[in-house]
Amino acid sequence: MTLAVHEIGAAGYRSLRRIALPVGRLSVFVGGNGVGKTNLYRALELIQAAARGTLTRELAAEGGMDSVLWAGRRRQGETARVRLSVAFQDDATGQGFAYEVEAGLVQQAGGVTYGAAFQREPQVKAERLTVQAGRRPVVALSRDGPSGFVRDEEGRKRPFGTDLLATETALASLQDAARFPEIEIVRRAMAGWRFHHDFRTDAGSPLRRPCLAVTTPTLASDGSDLAAVFATLAHVRGDTAELDAALGHAFPGARLVIPQPDREARFGVIFRDYPQRVFEAPELSDGTLRYLALAGALLAYRLPPFVALNEPETSLHPDLMEPLARMIARAAERTQVWLVTHSERLAAMIAEHGGARPRIVIKREGETWIEGLRLAGSFGEEDEDDAE
């Protein structure tokens, strides 16, 4: 079963007061500094962290709940929590899945801390997984604090059967595919997402070093196995046509050199002006190396079910926006691609090659919002074709 992301939501997180976004095959968000684009991207990472069991750790690493909570005004009685959600749909069967998780502060009364947690660390407060297979959604997982229930393979409600710490998500902890198939389906779908936002290009970058010669169909988030991804295309699949075209569009006359690996995989580039010289990865410019890393992420042998890019244009020359847009549009034919960017030029070229209308990220009374977005989480009837 392949699940497509249908909608994401976030509330109470940094500049995201309350927002729900439809997600299509190719989603592009463009905006200036300080409007909250990175918070949208980061909310996606935190949703995946719930599936991996690292949600509270990652919130703590951001400075704890005091740092990540919505800093604006709240309604009277409104609980200070971060709420994250994702909805999936299996296009083949029409079956839908929706997962929500809430994180908040440790409960205290009279100076006493309640629950197995340190005084200032984030806690998982609630979780819910619903499955839509007929007219009514069925609750497969429900948690409120330390207690809750899960639906087993026979459709019966059962207690978790394990003592969850306040810092653990049930989604990550209940790993029994036979007993809890819906949980396994959603967890695996989310765990397969890839996030690319920090391809290091300094002298010590893993992009510049050879890597183990292991068949590698999908690029790691940090690009550390880039040489193996290229070698897999060249010597396992035996087809680098798309990769060669992407390099040629960016650097006319250039050619990628991918030797048959021994214990390590490596690569180099021959440029038109120096036809007898192979430039190894340590010699390439930051922009060239970053472009090649993006090519590895978007044109690999097997793409993940969901690829998120944060400002992929960073350190790239403006002339590379059009070749990058081509790669992004091409990748969106094989998987879902979601990206935020500063570059209006890149967004326009993605629209030209991929047909996805760029969404403008703005600040509205202190909160991050998207132009044209309705409170219900749609962009209006005139945009329905773009969200599919």
Side-chain angles (χ1 to χ4, degrees):
M1 178 181 290
T2 301
L3 297 184
V5 180
H6 183 67
E7 181 183 272
I8 63 159
Y13 176 66
R14 296 194 179 276
S15 64
L16 306 178
R17 183 175 184 178
R18 184 177 291 104
I19 193 167
L21 296 171
V23 179
R25 200 70 182 169
L26 176 54
S27 303
V28 181
F29 301 91
V30 61
N33 289 322
V35 296
K37 300 187 311 299
T38 299
N39 291 339
L40 289 170
Y41 178 89
R42 182 61 181 149
L44 278 170
E45 288 188 302
L46 292 174
I47 291 170
Q48 187 193 55
R52 291 183 169 180
T54 60
L55 174 59
T56 57
R57 178 176 292 273
E58 295 202 23
L59 289 172
E62 289 191 34
M65 297 304 297
D66 292 337
S67 297
V68 303
L69 284 169
W70 162 251
R73 291 184 178 180
R74 299 189 187 94
R75 296 189 182 94
Q76 187 174 2
E78 184 178 358
T79 306
R81 291 185 179 181
V82 171
R83 296 175 175 86
L84 304 164
S85 65
V86 58
F88 299 93
Q89 185 167 349
D90 181 1
D91 292 335
T93 65
Q95 190 173 26
F97 298 81
Y99 174 73
E100 304 173 13
V101 61
E102 298 182 13
L105 295 163
V106 174
Q107 183 180 355
Q108 291 183 311
V112 177
T113 299
Y114 290 86
F118 299 119
Q119 184 175 357
R120 302 301 299 171
E121 71 175 323
Q123 284 190 332
V124 177
K125 297 296 186 180
E127 289 177 88
R128 188 176 178 89
L129 173 63
T130 58
V131 181
Q132 183 80 53
R135 293 182 178 180
R136 291 186 176 182
V138 176
V139 179
L141 164 68
S142 180
R143 174 189 186 177
D144 185 6
S147 62
F149 69 84
V150 63
R151 190 178 71 161
D152 65 17
E153 73 278 13
E154 297 178 357
R156 294 176 296 186
K157 293 182 180 179
R158 295 184 178 274
F160 291 151
T162 183
D163 293 328
L164 291 178
L165 294 174
T167 52
E168 296 174 323
T169 58
L171 184 67
S173 299
L174 300 176
Q175 297 196 23
D176 189 332
R179 293 185 63 200
F180 314 126
E182 294 97 345
I183 294 176
E184 180 67 12
I185 288 169
V186 171
R187 179 175 55 246
R188 291 185 63 179
M190 293 163 65
W193 297 356
R194 279 289 196 280
F195 295 86
H196 298 293
H197 61 274
D198 190 23
F199 287 128
R200 286 177 47 202
T201 55
D202 57 90
S205 166
L207 296 175
R208 297 190 181 278
R209 297 195 298 267
C211 66
L212 291 176
V214 177
T215 300
T216 307
T218 304
L219 187 72
S221 287
D222 64 356
S224 56
D225 50 9
L226 179 62
V229 167
F230 288 163
T232 299
L233 288 170
H235 303 293
V236 176
R237 188 170 74 176
D239 182 1
T240 60
E242 288 188 349
L243 188 59
D244 294 337
L247 185 65
H249 290 148
F251 309 101
R255 180 166 59 90
L256 197 61
V257 177
I258 309 169
Q260 178 71 250
D262 186 6
R263 289 187 177 87
E264 293 183 325
R266 60 186 72 236
F267 67 91
V269 179
I270 295 176
F271 293 98
R272 181 174 56 189
D273 294 340
Y274 305 95
Q276 305 303 316
R277 170 86 152 81
V278 177
F279 288 81
E280 304 289 344
E283 303 174 89
L284 298 175
S285 71
D286 289 355
T288 300
L289 191 62
R290 184 174 177 85
Y291 181 84
L292 288 173
L294 289 164
L298 296 167
L299 303 176
Y301 182 96
R302 181 186 302 130
L303 295 185
F306 187 90
V307 179
L309 305 173
N310 185 17
E311 299 176 9
E313 73 278 4
T314 300
S315 82
L316 298 186
H317 190 276
D319 289 347
L320 296 182
M321 295 302 101
E322 197 270 344
L324 175 58
R326 284 174 178 259
M327 285 199 300
I328 291 170
R330 179 60 178 152
E333 296 175 4
R334 300 169 57 195
T335 188
Q336 286 187 278
V337 181
W338 193 100
L339 71 123
V340 295
T341 177
H342 284 298
S343 174
E344 294 182 4
R345 181 177 181 182
L346 176 61
M349 289 182 173
I350 293 174
E352 178 182 344
H353 291 286
R357 179 180 302 185
R359 305 299 181 183
I360 309 302
V361 185
I362 59 173
K363 269 287 184 68
R364 188 181 68 175
E365 297 181 357
E367 66 176 304
T368 296
W369 198 251
I370 314 296
E371 286 188 358
L373 180 66
R374 295 174 172 177
L375 290 175
S378 68
F379 285 106
E381 294 180 359
E382 70 278 10
D383 292 334
E384 285 181 357
D385 290 342
D386 295 334
E388 294 179 356

